[in-house]
Amino acid sequence: MKTLLSRRYRFAASHRLHNAKFTADENRRLYGKCNNPYGHGHNYVVEVTLTGPVDAATGMIANLGELDPFVEREVVDAFDHKYLNEEVAEFQARVPTTENVAREIFRRLKPFPAAKLERVRIEETSKNSFEFSGDGPEAET
Amino acid sequence: MIRITRKVEFSAAHFYHNPSFSAEENRRVFGKCNNPRGHGHNYVLEVTVAGEPDPETGMVLDLKELKEILQREIVERMDHRHLNYEVPELAGKIPTCENIAAVIWQLLEPRIKQGKLDRVRLYESPDLFADCVADGASSNGHGATGVRA
């Protein structure tokens, strides 16, 4: 039996799905209304899951007193109330789909020192969610 | 393989304190959870059992039976209790979400006779939860995608 700890955080941000390599028509066809040049936004929920031994002295996998400020600094402060395409450097060259946002958040949180990052799961809306566990060939990109 | 999940709720009090720490260390490590008068949560427990449906009944495990097990083993033991003082299985442990989930796993595993206990997910609040998963089982977010506790 393995124990995991999950904590949910929120940020609100705008984005636009657009790839400069495609024609205007291709972009509209591929991304539909998400290609609107003025952008649109979501209330994102980020579910961060950690694993590791439960410390017998504290009963914890990770102390929220350490995890919360780490996630706030690395993700929430960087993403909240921002236009992802222009204000988060990684999305200047990569389309800010929630798949890519999940990978970027995983990359930012992986260095958390107190426990192993098991997965990042993002709800872009209450109807769709995206998970990344750091596996697969794209993990290093 | 099919996974079935049943949800129950219980409300309980707790606080975090390690007698081997100084008062100052307890405050630093546990923050406001160290308040000795305790505080409480509405816990939401999701229990997932995995198995093949019985060809005669079409069921992995009768959910009514799972409901009764959860009521007897967990709700009656923990609901409207102080977890530091009234649950012997937690004696000597800090009653964190991680430790409570592990105790729930240990209480339930021997009681599940059809199918196998696959996951225990315990929400302390909608934004904080611990999972215990079977060794080798997928630890993904199955069972509760998008569901708020």
Side-chain angles (χ1 to χ4, degrees):
Chain A
M1 185 267 282
K2 166 164 126 173
T3 307
L4 307 110
L5 180 72
S6 298
R7 178 82 157 149
R8 290 159 66 93
Y9 303 88
R10 291 172 177 76
F11 67 87
S14 61
H15 72 167
R16 179 199 185 199
L17 304 187
H18 180 84
N19 188 331
K21 290 183 201 151
F22 300 152
T23 65
D25 189 55
E26 277 175 320
N27 269 299
R28 269 194 302 276
R29 188 169 45 76
L30 182 61
Y31 295 123
K33 61 187 178 183
C34 299
N35 186 237
N36 172 8
Y38 293 105
H40 64 283
H42 300 285
N43 294 320
Y44 292 88
V45 178
V46 181
E47 191 176 285
V48 178
T49 299
L50 302 172
T51 186
V54 177
D55 186 322
T58 64
M60 297 171 178
I61 289 174
N63 193 327
L64 298 182
E66 296 168 19
L67 179 65
D68 285 354
F70 187 86
V71 177
E72 292 288 334
R73 187 177 70 240
E74 296 297 325
V75 176
V76 178
D77 291 349
F79 288 47
D80 189 38
H81 286 71
K82 298 285 171 69
Y83 181 43
L84 299 179
N85 298 58
E86 292 179 5
E87 295 184 273
V88 177
E90 288 76 7
F91 299 124
Q92 288 176 3
R94 186 168 288 166
V95 184
T97 56
T98 306
E99 290 91 326
N100 281 336
V101 174
R103 291 198 319 192
E104 175 57 19
I105 290 177
F106 190 95
R107 188 187 72 78
R108 287 173 178 244
L109 297 182
K110 199 167 189 316
F112 180 66
K116 179 177 176 288
L117 181 62
E118 174 84 7
R119 116 184 128 244
V120 165
R121 179 172 161 274
I122 304 185
E123 293 167 20
E124 183 184 68
T125 71
S126 60
K127 292 178 187 167
N128 58 37
S129 68
F130 304 77
E131 288 182 29
F132 185 57
S133 303
D135 49 355
E138 72 275 30
E140 300 305 317
T141 61
Chain B
M1 188 178 62
I2 302 287
R3 291 189 174 96
I4 64 170
T5 300
R6 178 85 195 174
K7 180 154 58 168
V8 289
E9 302 186 16
F10 61 91
S11 302
H14 73 169
F15 69 106
Y16 298 166
H17 179 83
N18 185 330
S20 66
F21 292 168
S22 68
E24 200 274 323
E25 263 181 310
N26 269 298
R27 272 193 300 275
R28 185 175 50 74
V29 172
F30 297 125
K32 62 186 176 185
C33 300
N34 184 233
N35 174 6
R37 295 178 196 274
H39 62 279
H41 299 284
N42 297 321
Y43 290 91
V44 177
L45 172 66
E46 283 176 7
V47 174
T48 302
V49 175
E52 294 299 333
D54 180 295
E56 298 298 325
T57 66
M59 297 173 181
V60 174
L61 162 71
D62 189 339
L63 271 179
K64 189 159 59 67
E65 193 187 326
L66 182 56
K67 180 184 171 185
E68 286 164 6
I69 293 170
L70 295 179
Q71 180 67 27
R72 193 173 63 241
E73 296 297 327
I74 310 302
V75 176
E76 285 176 17
R77 200 180 302 255
M78 300 189 183
D79 187 40
H80 286 71
R81 300 286 180 188
H82 195 302
L83 300 177
N84 296 65
Y85 303 127
E86 296 186 274
V87 178
E89 290 78 6
L90 282 163
K93 293 178 176 157
I94 315 284
T96 57
C97 211
E98 294 94 313
N99 275 340
I100 302 166
V103 162
I104 289 173
W105 178 282
Q106 284 149 12
L107 287 167
L108 293 181
E109 197 185 24
R111 308 282 170 207
I112 309 291
K113 308 288 190 199
Q114 292 165 277
K116 285 193 73 169
L117 185 59
D118 186 67
R119 192 183 75 180
V120 163
R121 171 169 286 188
L122 181 67
Y123 287 88
E124 182 181 284
S125 77
D127 289 335
L128 179 67
F129 58 91
D131 289 324
C132 289
V133 295
D135 288 322
S138 162
S139 68
N140 68 14
H142 70 76
T145 304
V147 173
R148 301 285 173 79

